[in-house]
Amino acid sequence: MEILGNTLGEIAGEKAGIFKHRIPAFTVPQPDEAMHVLKEKASQLNVPLQVTAPLDAKLLNGLRLGLEGEHQYINAGLAVALSSTWLNINGNLDETHLKQTFIKGLATANLQGRAQIVCDQHINKKISNELDFFLDGAHSPESMQACARWFSLAIKDNNQTFFNQKPDNSKFSNEVAKTHQGEAQKSAQILLFNCMSVRDPQLLLPHLVKTCADHGVYFKKALFVPGLSVYHKIGSHALSPTDSNIDLSWQFTLQRVWENIMQGNKAGKNIGGASEELTGMEMSVSNCEHSAVFSSLPLVINWLRDRVQQNQSTRFQVLVTGSIHLVGDVLKLIKK
């Protein structure tokens, strides 16, 4: 918004800057305010603007999109329309081959930090349970709802079959497809969250909580932590502040918002605060009934790993969201 504008119309006008004279352009269904601007800009440049429909799942011939989430069918429809037009313009008219290529591409596409599941491989292999990270860089109310829906459905699959889905093609997460045998484990859902201070947690967190609750999912604890890297402007060097000089005031603000939501949530009795699995809070700088603030991300990861070691009957499922920077920092740590 700082760059693109404060209204949907202003933002759409900036986005429409990619339009080129008489060159085909594509979009998906938009709010009226945005669509009006896109059509006006297209008319000025004689741009044939096409609004694409979501991809019909039947076209995948029984396969699933590589990217999770219902909204990805909208993105997939746009991708197919754009790719088909470009290929046809360049003389690739074999529609049968194109269809097979598109199906393969849509089924194998992956994007780090969006609906990504990674199993922590630092845990002692003799321990039967797991520490699973569910990573999504959602940072708007709409994307937070989509993230919550994905997480809620994903952990149910995770608990039933320990992921009946394709791993993300990295060596690191190939373990995610294995199936646990024997007695069913307990599971504990934990939120690991941070967002930029220009975001409004009063909008983001309630959407997350409500959507998860609608699916019967409640967090045992929310953990708030600053990222490893601080970016002041594009092109600047990443800073790695030490625990002693980092400002945690924003994390305390996030914690207060979360505690207020929990206190006002009638379903709060279903949301575990203090529990036997979540001991060792002396590692945090601020521990409340439903949340804790940690001074650094490595401390959080170590705390989670300690909980796994000490609770072999519980599977810990950690949703990491609110910031693509946080997601990237977590990936850096757990991939080592």
Side-chain angles (χ1 to χ4, degrees):
M1 289 175 63
E2 297 169 345
I3 298 171
L4 300 179
N6 295 312
T7 68
L8 290 178
E10 291 176 351
I11 294 171
E14 292 294 332
K15 293 290 187 178
I18 199 173
F19 290 169
K20 299 295 185 293
H21 185 64
R22 295 182 181 275
I23 301 297
F26 299 86
T27 187
V28 298
Q30 305 284 350
D32 290 341
E33 181 183 358
M35 187 62 75
H36 174 75
V37 174
L38 293 179
K39 290 182 176 180
E40 183 179 17
K41 296 284 186 180
S43 176
Q44 292 171 0
L45 293 171
N46 290 322
V47 167
L49 178 64
Q50 179 179 330
V51 180
T52 63
L55 181 77
D56 185 348
K58 294 178 182 178
L59 297 177
L60 293 172
N61 295 335
L63 298 177
R64 297 175 60 177
L65 289 178
L67 300 177
E68 293 287 328
E70 288 300 313
H71 59 288
Q72 294 297 351
Y73 286 90
I74 298 175
N75 294 331
L78 180 63
V80 169
L82 178 67
S83 301
S84 298
T85 300
W86 187 86
L87 289 168
N88 285 331
I89 289 175
N90 286 274
N92 296 278
L93 301 177
D94 186 346
E95 293 187 7
T96 301
H97 176 71
L98 285 181
K99 181 179 178 181
Q100 294 174 344
T101 301
F102 289 149
I103 290 174
K104 180 180 178 181
L106 293 171
T108 58
N110 66 88
L111 182 63
Q112 287 199 74
R114 287 293 188 187
Q116 181 183 13
I117 308 103
V118 176
C119 177
D120 185 19
Q121 294 189 333
H122 286 245
I123 303 300
N124 189 333
K125 291 302 178 182
K126 295 180 180 179
I127 297 177
S128 61
N129 67 328
E130 303 288 341
L131 173 58
D132 304 323
F133 290 91
F134 296 74
L135 304 133
D136 194 282
H139 51 265
S140 69
E142 295 81 5
S143 61
M144 196 62 66
Q145 285 179 304
C147 169
R149 285 194 297 270
W150 162 72
F151 175 67
S152 300
L153 297 174
I155 62 172
K156 290 178 182 179
D157 286 345
N158 185 265
N159 290 335
Q160 291 171 4
T161 62
F162 200 37
F163 260 102
N164 183 24
Q165 76 162 38
K166 178 183 70 62
D168 68 359
N169 293 331
S170 68
K171 293 180 181 179
F172 181 68
S173 63
N174 285 341
E175 292 287 319
V176 83
K178 66 184 179 182
T179 301
H180 285 272
Q181 303 293 333
E183 183 179 353
Q185 291 178 304
K186 294 188 298 181
S187 64
Q189 289 76 49
I190 296 174
L191 174 65
L192 179 54
F193 186 92
N194 190 37
C195 66
M196 297 176 64
S197 58
V198 295
R199 305 290 178 188
D200 185 355
Q202 302 275 11
L203 292 177
L204 300 182
L205 292 174
H207 279 287
L208 176 65
V209 172
K210 183 181 185 306
T211 304
C212 284
D214 288 344
H215 289 80
V217 174
Y218 304 92
F219 292 99
K220 286 279 188 180
K221 204 85 170 180
L223 311 178
F224 301 102
V225 63
L228 286 174
S229 305
V230 178
Y231 298 90
H232 292 292
K233 60 182 179 180
I234 296 175
S236 67
H237 294 290
L239 304 177
S240 298
T242 62
D243 292 352
S244 59
N245 66 9
I246 196 163
D247 180 7
L248 296 175
S249 57
W250 179 241
Q251 281 65 46
F252 293 139
T253 297
L254 297 175
Q255 183 181 42
R256 286 193 297 271
V257 172
W258 183 264
E259 290 294 325
N260 288 336
I261 295 171
M262 293 298 102
Q263 295 301 329
N265 193 329
K266 294 180 181 180
K269 60 181 180 294
N270 296 320
I271 305 172
S275 66
E276 60 182 14
E277 297 100 340
L278 304 181
T279 57
M281 279 300 176
E282 62 274 3
M283 296 176 69
S284 67
V285 296
S286 174
N287 179 37
C288 297
E289 182 180 2
H290 303 287
S291 63
V293 172
F294 284 78
S295 60
S296 73
L297 194 53
L299 278 178
V300 173
I301 303 299
N302 289 336
W303 179 82
L304 289 167
R305 288 171 176 165
D306 287 347
R307 303 290 70 73
V308 173
Q309 297 282 355
Q310 295 172 18
N311 299 276
Q312 298 188 25
S313 63
T314 302
R315 177 181 298 153
F316 289 85
Q317 298 166 318
V318 183
L319 174 61
V320 183
T321 189
S323 164
I324 198 68
H325 296 298
L326 176 65
V327 167
D329 289 339
V330 170
L331 281 172
K332 289 176 186 177
L333 287 177
I334 60 179
K335 279 193 172 184
K336 289 182 178 179

